[in-house]
């Protein structure tokens, strides 16, 4: 495995399920049908060894608010106990290509934000997903964080290669 690969969080193993080595996983992926299909490769970070270990999905199914997943080579609850509470990752080369004007969080966080009058407003430090639309949290040099609703009237341009976002300030945003 290449050590210089980037890895991105797609879920968390929260518990075991039954005696045959199944695990309960909370998905943090917009593409669970890709992440948990038979043969998919996911990674866990083994902190004591400071390296990623690959796990291959044998089968998976949605169950209430989680996915029940069985990985190859794990056939008993005692073998999967050590995986509880670990974060699941995919490598950068496994990212699904997004449609135009859709972005991964890691592409947006760290972008500089400018007004349509070319005033630098700050840097995106977080993304909130409260419901109808995302809200980007912009750390300003002075003052409170700026909350930017991601709607057509506000978001004018995103350039992830240049790490730059242009917005139209609406009344009450500052």
């Amino acid at each position: 495995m290449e050590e210089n690969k980037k890895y991105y969080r797609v879920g968390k193993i929260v518990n075991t399920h039954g005696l045959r080595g199944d695990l309960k996983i909370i998905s943090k992926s917009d593409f669970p049908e890709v992440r948990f299909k038979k043969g998919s490769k996911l990674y866990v970070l083994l902190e004591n060894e400071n390296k990623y270990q690959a796990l291959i999905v044998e089968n998976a199914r949605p169950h209430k608010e989680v996915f029940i997943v069985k990985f190859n080579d794990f056939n008993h609850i005692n073998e999967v106990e050590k995986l509880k509470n670990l974060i699941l990752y995919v490598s950068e080369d496994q990212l699904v290509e997004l449609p135009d004007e859709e972005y991964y969080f890691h592409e947006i966080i760290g972008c500089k934000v400018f007004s349509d009058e070319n005033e630098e407003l700050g840097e995106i430090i977080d993304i909130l997903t409260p419901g109808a639309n995302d809200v980007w949290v912009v750390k300003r040099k002075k003052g409170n964080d700026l909350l930017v609703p991601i709607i057509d009237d506000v978001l004018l341009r995103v350039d992830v290669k240049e790490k730059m976002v242009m917005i139209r300030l609406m009344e009450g945003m500052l």
Side-chain angles (χ1 to χ4, degrees):
M1 175 178 14
E2 296 175 38
E3 295 305 318
N4 58 355
K5 276 187 180 179
K6 289 184 180 177
Y7 293 87
Y8 299 97
R9 180 182 181 155
V10 294
K12 181 177 181 180
I13 301 170
V14 292
N15 210 343
T16 58
H17 180 80
L19 299 174
R20 295 191 174 125
D22 291 346
L23 292 160
K24 289 183 181 179
I25 296 174
I26 294 175
S27 175
K28 295 291 183 189
S29 174
D30 287 339
F31 310 102
E33 70 284 353
V34 173
R35 300 295 168 227
F36 302 119
K37 76 176 181 186
K38 181 180 176 89
S40 290
K41 186 184 292 186
L42 299 171
Y43 296 90
V44 290
L45 178 60
L46 303 175
E47 291 191 24
N48 56 341
E49 299 176 34
N50 200 26
K51 70 176 189 175
Y52 290 90
Q53 176 185 339
L55 302 172
I56 307 297
V57 175
E58 185 174 305
N59 61 56
R61 68 185 188 282
H63 178 73
K64 298 181 182 177
E65 302 298 316
V66 298
F67 282 83
I68 305 298
V69 179
K70 180 159 185 0
F71 292 109
N72 289 352
D73 304 322
F74 293 96
N75 297 307
H76 193 272
I77 188 172
N78 294 340
E79 298 170 341
V80 295
E81 278 286 334
K82 65 183 179 193
L83 300 175
K84 278 181 18 179
N85 298 314
L86 292 182
I87 304 299
L88 289 168
Y89 299 91
V90 293
S91 60
E92 189 168 32
D93 59 335
Q94 294 174 283
L95 294 178
V96 173
E97 191 169 324
L98 298 176
D100 288 344
E101 299 184 22
E102 287 190 27
Y103 311 96
Y104 283 106
F105 284 15
H106 70 269
E107 293 176 308
I108 297 302
I109 292 177
C111 285
K112 297 272 189 227
V113 179
F114 295 86
S115 72
D116 54 355
E117 297 172 356
N118 215 28
E119 175 191 356
E120 185 174 337
L121 300 171
E123 182 177 312
I124 299 170
I125 60 167
D126 198 5
I127 298 174
L128 308 176
T129 55
N133 53 273
D134 289 352
V135 176
W136 294 351
V137 180
V138 178
K139 180 75 172 166
R140 299 173 64 204
K141 289 182 169 81
K142 292 182 181 175
N144 294 333
D145 291 345
L146 175 64
L147 300 178
V148 179
I150 304 310
I151 56 176
D152 291 340
D153 289 344
V154 173
L155 188 63
L156 301 177
R157 193 170 93 225
V158 176
D159 186 336
V160 293
K161 287 184 177 33
E162 295 296 322
K163 299 297 276 182
M164 192 276 303
V165 171
M166 184 168 286
I167 65 169
R168 177 181 298 119
L169 288 170
M170 297 178 76
E171 191 174 326
M173 282 179 65
L174 286 177

